[in-house]
Every structure is written in C-alpha cells, then in structure tokens.
Amino acid sequence: MTTPTGYEIAVREHATLGEGPTWDTAAQRLIWIDILGSRVHTYDPVSGRRTVTVTEQHVGAAKPREGGGLVLNLRDGVGLRDADGGFRWLHHEPVPGRRANDAAVAPDGSLWAGTMRYDEAPGGGTLSHLTADGTVSTVLDDVAVSNGIGWSPDGRLMYYIDSPTRRVDVFDVGEGRQISNRRPLTVIEEGAGFPDGLTVDADGCVWVALWDGGAVRRYTPDGTLDRVVPLPV
C-alpha cells in the first residue's frame, strides 16, 4: 500500500552524506550526522535551536548517553563525548581503509556498532557489541556495508541490514544478548534501491529506508510489506 504524504521541511541543511536521525528523548531534540562532513547536528523543534559539532574523524553514528553527551561511532573506533565537550575513546581500533557506519543502542543500553571499508569491499566490515566499560566483541566479521539495527518491542528479535545483500535479516536474541538463527525477513527487489537504516515501531513492524529508492517501507513481523511512503529525494 502506497501512502500519499505531504511534507514539511523541519531543517533545511546541506550534507555530504546525511544520515542517522535519532530522537533524544531526554533532551527532546533530533540528532543526525553528516558522515563524510564529520559533523553532528542537533535540532530542538520547540525552540528551533540548532547546533553543529565538528568531529575530528568521519562519524558513522551519534547516540545520546543516559547521563548526557553522546556516544560516537567514529572512523577509528567508538568514542564518548561529554556534555561539556570532553572526549575519550571507549574503544580504539584503527584499520586502514575502514570507517564506522550505522550503530544502535540495544534495550539493555549496550551499543551495537558497524563498520565498512571505504571501497565497500565485501567482507571488509564488521558488526560489534560494546558495553559501557569498553568491553567489545565482534559479532559479525564478514560484512560489506553494515547498516540498520533494531529490536522487536519484547527484545527477543534483532533486525540487521548489510546493504549490498538487499536483505533485511532477523536474529533470535538469547541469554547475554547472544544472537543466532539468522534468516531473511525480506529481500528488496532489484530496481527498488538498497536497504539502509531501519527502526522498529510499537507494533513490532520494521521501517526500512531505501538508499537510491526514494522511499521508506514498513514490514510486518512476518515480512509482509504493508506500507510504502514515497519521498521526494
């Protein structure tokens, strides 16, 4: 089902590679990034206030921290930026030719962070799990372009996108946040673009943004396509 939609521009801004919109509930603001522009943007829809913070490296994701500040998925690892601007590495692992990409905060507050090679070579990227004390484990080590990550409302399923596969995959989540039983939720057909970012709504449905597809799609938990929102991009 295609959903006709009217559009209102909230923020008019240019970016080299704008991605990663995240709602910061505590601060009531939108966070988004310009990956290749090395910038983190915020927008307060009530006051209209906007901020831009320049990072020293390409930034793949920026997520709010419980005590304020941001956790940043950067080219050479995952860093913590405090509310007062202070910075320290949570995990530092530079790999030549590789950069960070999308990341997501799990229901238990841990971070799942993806990487990819600049040349998008198959197998050059990873998906890792990080805890607040900096403990890191590589969960997937054969990724091309690590992208959208999300969880079902009950936390028992995790959704994941490696964009060139054209799949939205689903895992079972077990004890200790271990994931298993990877299988496709859906496959995006040729000519419709590539799956990129995703989010999961309160009904457990998965919303997928299509890179080079000019649309966002909603899939039910059984993989049925039930909504298409065309976008003027």
Side-chain angles (χ1 to χ4, degrees):
M1 177 180 71
T2 299
T3 303
T5 307
Y7 301 96
E8 178 183 348
I9 297 174
V11 179
R12 187 179 295 278
E13 184 64 79
H14 295 285
T16 306
L17 184 57
E19 289 207 11
T22 300
W23 181 250
D24 183 346
T25 303
Q28 290 291 290
R29 63 179 183 173
L30 180 71
I31 302 168
W32 61 281
I33 58 168
D34 181 354
I35 295 178
L36 300 181
S38 302
R39 283 167 169 77
V40 177
H41 297 254
T42 71
Y43 170 63
D44 180 333
V46 174
S47 67
R49 182 173 184 264
R50 296 156 56 181
T51 69
V52 181
T53 301
V54 178
T55 58
E56 293 185 359
Q57 300 182 352
H58 291 159
V59 53
K63 305 298 176 182
R65 295 161 60 196
E66 186 176 43
L70 298 170
V71 58
L72 304 174
N73 197 23
L74 296 163
R75 184 195 65 201
D76 292 345
V78 175
L80 302 177
R81 184 177 294 279
D82 298 327
D84 62 5
F87 176 85
R88 65 189 185 276
W89 288 105
L90 180 65
H91 175 68
H92 192 225
E93 187 186 5
V95 176
R98 194 180 77 178
R99 70 166 175 84
N101 209 44
D102 208 354
V105 179
D108 65 355
S110 61
L111 185 75
W112 291 70
T115 64
M116 58 176 284
R117 285 191 55 82
Y118 280 95
D119 61 9
E120 302 184 12
T126 61
L127 177 67
S128 297
H129 174 247
L130 295 93
T131 57
D133 64 1
T135 301
V136 59
S137 58
T138 300
V139 180
L140 300 175
D141 61 3
D142 188 22
V143 174
V145 180
S146 189
N147 253 315
I149 311 158
W151 290 265
S152 59
D154 62 8
R156 297 173 62 183
L157 300 173
M158 187 181 95
Y159 300 96
Y160 177 67
I161 291 171
D162 181 1
S163 291
T165 68
R166 293 187 178 275
R167 298 194 315 266
V168 180
D169 287 341
V170 57
F171 296 82
D172 295 323
V173 180
E175 294 295 327
R177 311 304 303 173
Q178 297 294 315
I179 58 173
S180 62
N181 191 25
R182 183 177 185 173
R183 67 259 185 208
L185 175 75
T186 190
V187 180
I188 307 301
E189 68 274 16
E190 289 278 348
F194 292 86
D196 198 315
L198 70 78
T199 194
V200 184
D201 65 23
D203 296 323
C205 294
V206 183
W207 294 80
V208 181
L210 298 181
W211 172 270
D212 201 28
V216 173
R217 292 183 176 185
R218 182 181 193 252
Y219 291 91
T220 62
D222 66 1
T224 300
L225 175 63
D226 79 339
R227 196 171 305 177
V228 179
V229 181
L231 297 169
V233 296

